[in-house]
């Protein structure tokens, strides 16, 4: 049976891990490669790196980081954050990333999804989408929620699937950071609509939230960041608990 | 130390395979040179991408007739495995014909690609005693045939791996399959 995936997400700036990483026993908690290795060793099924660097040196540092992760970590990983062109994606994949996540660039120019899928294969293309409810409609936002677009979430992810996206990474901004659970209803609806895998993101605060998302929806994976970094949820304990609930999990 | 060559035809996971071998202390050569490939102790045939584009690249490098003549152990990975078959529905192209079976597209009311960790059943040869999950990403599959050396279930069974004489192939990515993947690569390196 195919297992549900648990995915820690690492935010990267200038080649370093940011946003409150507090791990006992890691010599350098800002070193994304050391963190990635640690997560791989304790049972993460996959990793996502989101680069929030805004400088011109971005590509160089990110490519160097991707290469180092690929050299040292034997599980798949996705890289996103400002992937703006086929060329950007090429450098990341060539350096050893398994998938690239695109967000704003796809909203601005949806045909980039098709270009990427045709060139690298659907399985390399993850559409990342941030959305929240506005007057009863799920609207797509950019730039970490600062910019509202005219896109409606469900029609956008369907269009992305048709253009060749291999996976959707959906973050509910209404749930992100709340630690009150995933956007179950929206995820359920999205799943019924799409035939490609969905990664649920935003809202995980406890083991029960992961149990809930896998029992109530058919998402393929669940992603979280700080709760893993701060060990509010212990990854091996989470996987054991999900397995005990008869959810298909790799141990 | 054994000389390991990775066939260079532009496959996307070439470097991931190289890094995985380096973690095992092997320093592989990446090449499309036939005499280098012929003289290697082991050959790896990687693959990520589209079958049609990949076959085109193999034709351009005149490797289509050459690869089936290799005498040393050869390991095809993912698309590499599918290209070693007779024909694939992806782009409706003929493969290398090493395995006498056709590659089909997953069809049905379930998620495609088959993406993530899944188990191996009835593993033998280089997959004997591999009990932990391995990592798959694919939309096309090889049915279970007499050359199948491990089976995986995803809304029906398919070949997770194949072997015929010196040709080995796996649908999953050993280079991305953590500890179990390392063991599988080690098993192959001992051939």
């Amino acid at each position: 049976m195919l297992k549900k995936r648990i995915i820690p997400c690492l935010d990267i700036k200038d080649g370093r891990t940011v946003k409150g990483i507090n791990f006992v026993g890691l010599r350098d908690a800002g070193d994304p490669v050391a963190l990635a290795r640690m997560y791989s060793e304790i049972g993460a099924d996959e990793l996502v790196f989101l680069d929030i660097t805004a400088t011109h040196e971005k590509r160089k540092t990110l490519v160097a980081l991707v290469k180092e992760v690929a050299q040292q970590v034997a599980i798949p990983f996705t890289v996103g954050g400002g992937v703006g062109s086929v060329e950007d994606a090429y450098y990341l994949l060539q350096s050893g990333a398994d998938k690239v996540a695109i967000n704003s660039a796809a909203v601005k120019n949806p045909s980039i999804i098709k270009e990427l899928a045709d060139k690298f294969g659907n399985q390399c293309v993850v559409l990342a989408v941030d959305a929240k409810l506005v007057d009863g409609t799920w609207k797509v936002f950019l730039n970490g929620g600062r910019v509202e677009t005219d896109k409606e979430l469900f029609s956008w992810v369907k269009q992305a699937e048709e253009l060749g996206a291999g996976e959707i990474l959906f973050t509910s901004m209404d749930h992100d950071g709340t630690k009150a659970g995933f956007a179950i209803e929206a995820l359920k609806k999205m799943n019924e609509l799409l035939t490609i895998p969905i990664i649920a993101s935003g809202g995980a605060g406890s083991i029960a939230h992961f149990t809930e998302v896998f029992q109530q929806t058919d998402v393929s994976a669940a992603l979280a960041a700080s709760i893993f970094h701060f060990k509010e949820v212990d990854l091996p304990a989470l996987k054991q608990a999900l397995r005990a609930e008869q959810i298909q999990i790799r141990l | 130390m054994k000389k390991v060559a990775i066939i260079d035809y532009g496959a996307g996971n070439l470097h991931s395979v190289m890094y995985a071998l380096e973690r095992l202390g092997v320093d592989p050569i990446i090449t499309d040179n036939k005499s280098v490939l012929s003289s290697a102790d082991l050959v790896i045939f990687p693959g990520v991408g589209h079958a049609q584009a990949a076959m085109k690249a193999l034709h351009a490098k005149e490797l289509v007739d050459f690869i089936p003549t290799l005498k040393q152990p050869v390991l095809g990975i993912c698309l590499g495995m599918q290209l070693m078959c007779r024909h694939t529905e992806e782009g409706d192209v003929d493969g290398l014909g090493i395995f006498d079976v056709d590659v089909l597209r997953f069809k049905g009311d379930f998620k495609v690609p088959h993406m993530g960790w899944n188990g191996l059943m009835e593993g033998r040869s280089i997959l004997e005693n591999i009990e932990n999950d391995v990592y798959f990403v694919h939309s096309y599959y090889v049915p279970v045939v007499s050359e199948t050396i491990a089976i995986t279930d995803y809304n029906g069974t398919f070949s997770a791996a194949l072997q015929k004489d010196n040709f080995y192939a796996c649908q999953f990515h050993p280079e991305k399959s953590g500890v179990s993947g390392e063991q599988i690569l080690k098993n192959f390196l001992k051939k």
Side-chain angles (χ1 to χ4, degrees):
Chain A
M1 285 283 282
L2 181 63
K3 308 302 188 292
K4 300 293 186 183
R5 287 170 280 150
I6 304 294
I7 308 178
C9 177
L10 304 178
D11 285 333
I12 306 294
K13 193 177 180 193
D14 302 321
R16 304 276 299 166
T17 318
V18 292
K19 210 161 82 177
I21 306 269
N22 182 18
F23 258 114
V24 185
L26 268 186
R27 244 183 311 167
D28 178 2
D31 176 5
V33 181
L35 266 172
R37 226 176 26 225
M38 185 275 299
Y39 274 125
S40 155
E41 279 159 15
I42 65 170
D45 296 305
E46 206 170 304
L47 296 167
V48 169
F49 294 87
L50 283 182
D51 188 29
I52 54 170
T53 310
T55 61
H56 294 299
E57 292 295 294
K58 176 172 181 148
R59 183 188 276 169
K60 222 168 88 187
T61 48
L62 186 59
V63 161
L65 170 66
V66 165
K67 191 175 163 193
E68 219 181 319
V69 172
Q71 281 171 329
Q72 296 196 29
V73 179
I75 60 170
F77 66 98
T78 300
V79 182
V83 175
S85 65
V86 171
E87 200 194 358
D88 285 343
Y90 170 80
Y91 282 110
L92 296 173
L93 294 168
Q94 190 67 23
S95 309
D98 297 281
K99 313 176 208 176
V100 290
I102 44 163
N103 188 335
S104 308
V107 169
K108 288 167 191 157
N109 172 25
S111 65
I112 192 176
I113 298 173
K114 186 171 167 22
E115 282 175 57
L116 290 169
D118 286 348
K119 195 158 170 71
F120 308 115
N122 312 50
Q123 78 287 340
C124 293
V125 187
V126 181
L127 178 83
V129 54
D130 302 329
K132 66 178 169 189
L133 266 175
V134 179
D135 302 328
T137 304
W138 280 93
K139 295 296 284 285
V140 176
F141 281 71
L142 301 181
N143 298 6
R146 288 191 295 273
V147 181
E148 185 177 345
T149 71
D150 57 1
K151 287 202 189 302
E152 187 270 330
L153 173 66
F154 298 102
S155 56
W156 172 227
V157 293
K158 188 68 195 169
Q159 187 190 355
E161 173 181 278
E162 284 161 2
L163 286 166
E167 195 167 35
I168 302 289
L169 165 55
F170 163 47
T171 303
S172 163
M173 294 163 48
D174 288 332
H175 296 74
D176 202 22
T178 64
K179 298 186 186 171
F182 291 96
I184 300 292
E185 290 311 314
L187 286 163
K188 233 188 245 176
K189 187 172 169 187
M190 191 178 289
N191 241 301
E192 282 160 16
L193 195 69
L194 302 185
T195 62
I196 54 175
I198 294 166
I199 304 169
S201 159
S206 67
I207 286 176
H209 294 147
F210 288 90
T211 311
E212 184 185 49
V213 80
F214 289 131
Q215 282 180 341
Q216 297 194 17
T217 80
D218 198 26
V219 294
S220 302
L223 174 144
S226 60
I227 56 158
F228 290 141
H229 304 328
F230 286 110
K231 276 210 171 171
E232 289 166 37
V233 171
D234 177 60
L235 200 131
L238 167 64
K239 295 189 85 174
Q240 291 283 357
L242 291 173
R243 171 72 74 96
E245 294 284 345
Q246 316 299 325
I247 294 163
Q248 293 290 329
I249 283 289
R250 176 181 75 111
L251 292 181
Chain B
M1 198 204 289
K2 284 186 177 174
K3 208 169 100 183
V4 181
I6 302 174
I7 303 178
D8 181 8
Y9 69 106
N13 66 334
L14 194 147
H15 288 92
S16 301
V17 173
M18 181 183 82
Y19 297 145
L21 292 169
E22 286 174 356
R23 287 195 290 271
L24 297 174
V26 175
D27 187 15
I29 312 151
I30 296 175
T31 183
D32 58 1
N33 181 303
K34 288 180 206 164
S35 62
V36 175
L37 288 169
S38 292
S39 67
D41 298 312
L42 298 151
V43 173
I44 295 187
F45 181 34
V48 162
H50 195 280
Q52 203 169 32
M55 282 308 295
K56 208 173 146 189
L58 289 172
H59 277 291
K61 289 179 183 277
E62 296 178 349
L63 291 169
V64 175
D65 295 329
F66 169 76
I67 293 171
T69 66
L70 288 167
K71 297 286 178 268
Q72 65 275 64
V74 177
L75 175 66
I77 296 175
C78 196
L79 180 62
M81 160 163 150
Q82 298 188 353
L83 298 178
M84 288 161 90
C85 297
R86 193 169 52 202
H87 179 272
T88 170
E89 281 191 351
E90 186 178 30
D92 187 22
V93 287
D94 287 335
L96 307 180
I98 294 165
F99 300 109
D100 196 21
V101 56
D102 291 348
V103 185
L104 309 173
R105 186 170 167 89
F106 280 122
K107 284 184 200 88
D109 186 22
F110 52 87
K111 301 281 176 188
V112 178
H114 171 225
M115 185 188 284
W117 298 79
N118 204 332
L120 300 174
M121 298 179 286
E122 298 176 34
R124 47 196 182 89
S125 180
I126 57 169
L127 296 170
E128 202 169 328
N129 298 323
I130 302 288
E131 278 157 13
N132 291 323
D133 293 335
V134 291
Y135 188 79
F136 291 86
V137 187
H138 59 125
S139 302
Y140 295 78
Y141 70 97
V142 176
V144 176
V145 289
S146 59
E147 290 100 337
T148 302
I149 55 167
I151 294 171
T152 293
D153 187 357
Y154 186 58
N155 300 283
T157 53
F158 67 88
S159 292
L162 299 166
Q163 186 198 343
K164 184 181 179 186
D165 306 323
N166 57 317
F167 292 96
Y168 301 78
C170 40
Q171 180 60 68
F172 55 88
H173 288 276
E175 77 279 13
K176 288 287 170 182
S177 294
V179 180
S180 15
E182 275 175 16
Q183 188 57 50
I184 294 162
L185 288 174
K186 277 186 202 161
N187 293 349
F188 174 69
L189 293 172
K190 278 188 226 146
K191 291 288 164 188

